[in-house]
Amino acid sequence: MFRQKNTVVWAASIMLCSIASAASAMELSISQGYRDGGKFEADIPPVSYSLAGGPATSIVLGHELDAKRTLEFLYSHQSTSLRNDRTRETLLDLGIDYYHIGGTNEISRSGDTVFFGSGGLGATHFSPSGDYYSETRFSVSFGLGAKHSIGERLILRADGKLFGTFLDSGSGIFCGVGTSGNGCSIAVSGTLAVQYEISAGIGFKF
């Protein structure tokens, strides 16, 4: 799983570095926000589990393709917990990291403010605490946002995003040493876990 995570980061870094050599404007944005959602339906026992909402930190490295489009690499992290919806007990604590390659496309412009749509695809990395194994799954993202330029270098940025992580229905998730049954905490019955994230931050052009 760690090999998959490192491969995603390595591939994204190589791609963006090669693009940057084309001598076009780059952007680096750091945002703080709130992420919520994410439900896992279990077959055995028949109960649902939800991820607790909480703070999330995002870093976006972008490359301007033209006046309206930007290619981006997104990294977003949240420390959260998985809870039983019926009893409200915490099953485990975990970190969730999104590594996405995608971009933005301008929808409209008003003065120094640009409104855009965004999308991306990549990987979701789950890092449970304790004796559970980390897992990496394919995921996609869609969103809307705005960027406001202050001078030539400074940017204020706001984003609203939906993340969808694909799961294998009937398979186990959050497996490890010491867990009960087949060694996994949940036997998943659904195929998609969806989270939403709202964030705002500051960026720089270079």
Side-chain angles (χ1 to χ4, degrees), residues 34-38 50-54 78-83 195:
Y34 179 84
R35 191 194 299 170
D36 203 352
S50 296
L51 296 167
Q78 179 194 30
S79 295
T80 182
S81 60
L82 188 67
R83 298 175 181 174
Q195 289 191 290

Side-chain angles (χ1 to χ4, degrees), residues 7-199:
T7 299
V8 172
V9 178
W10 177 82
S13 300
I14 291 296
M15 185 185 72
L16 285 173
C17 287
S18 62
I19 292 173
S21 64
S24 293
M26 301 288 291
E27 295 180 6
L28 178 63
S29 300
I30 302 175
S31 300
Q32 187 69 26
Y34 179 84
R35 191 194 299 170
D36 203 352
K39 185 179 290 289
F40 299 86
E41 301 291 342
D43 286 329
I44 304 173
V47 66
S48 62
Y49 297 87
S50 296
L51 296 167
T57 302
S58 300
I59 299 174
V60 177
L61 179 61
H63 165 76
E64 291 184 0
L65 297 176
D66 54 40
K68 292 182 177 292
R69 299 178 301 156
T70 302
L71 177 68
E72 294 185 335
F73 172 66
L74 164 73
Y75 167 71
S76 183
H77 172 79
Q78 179 194 30
S79 295
T80 182
S81 60
L82 188 67
R83 298 175 181 174
N84 187 309
D85 288 343
R86 184 182 303 166
T87 64
R88 307 308 301 170
E89 294 180 352
T90 297
L91 179 65
L92 53 86
D93 296 318
L94 74 160
I96 302 178
D97 298 297
Y98 290 105
Y99 299 87
H100 279 198
I101 297 174
T104 67
N105 190 65
E106 180 182 319
I107 298 174
S108 64
R109 181 184 294 264
S110 177
D112 293 324
T113 303
V114 175
F115 301 92
F116 59 83
S118 63
L121 54 85
T124 305
H125 187 72
F126 299 104
S127 303
S129 60
D131 296 325
Y132 298 93
Y133 302 133
S134 297
E135 303 197 32
T136 302
R137 303 294 177 99
F138 176 73
S139 58
V140 297
S141 61
F142 303 94
L144 294 171
K147 290 190 288 186
H148 178 75
S149 297
I150 302 176
E152 296 183 356
R153 300 294 182 183
L154 186 62
I155 302 168
L156 300 181
R157 176 170 179 150
D159 286 90
K161 289 183 178 292
L162 285 176
F163 295 97
T165 301
F166 292 89
L167 308 171
D168 298 324
S169 183
S171 66
I173 193 170
F174 305 128
C175 307
V177 179
T179 52
S180 59
N182 63 357
C184 298
S185 298
I186 302 174
V188 180
S189 62
T191 57
L192 187 68
V194 178
Q195 289 191 290
Y196 69 85
E197 182 176 311
I198 301 173
S199 62

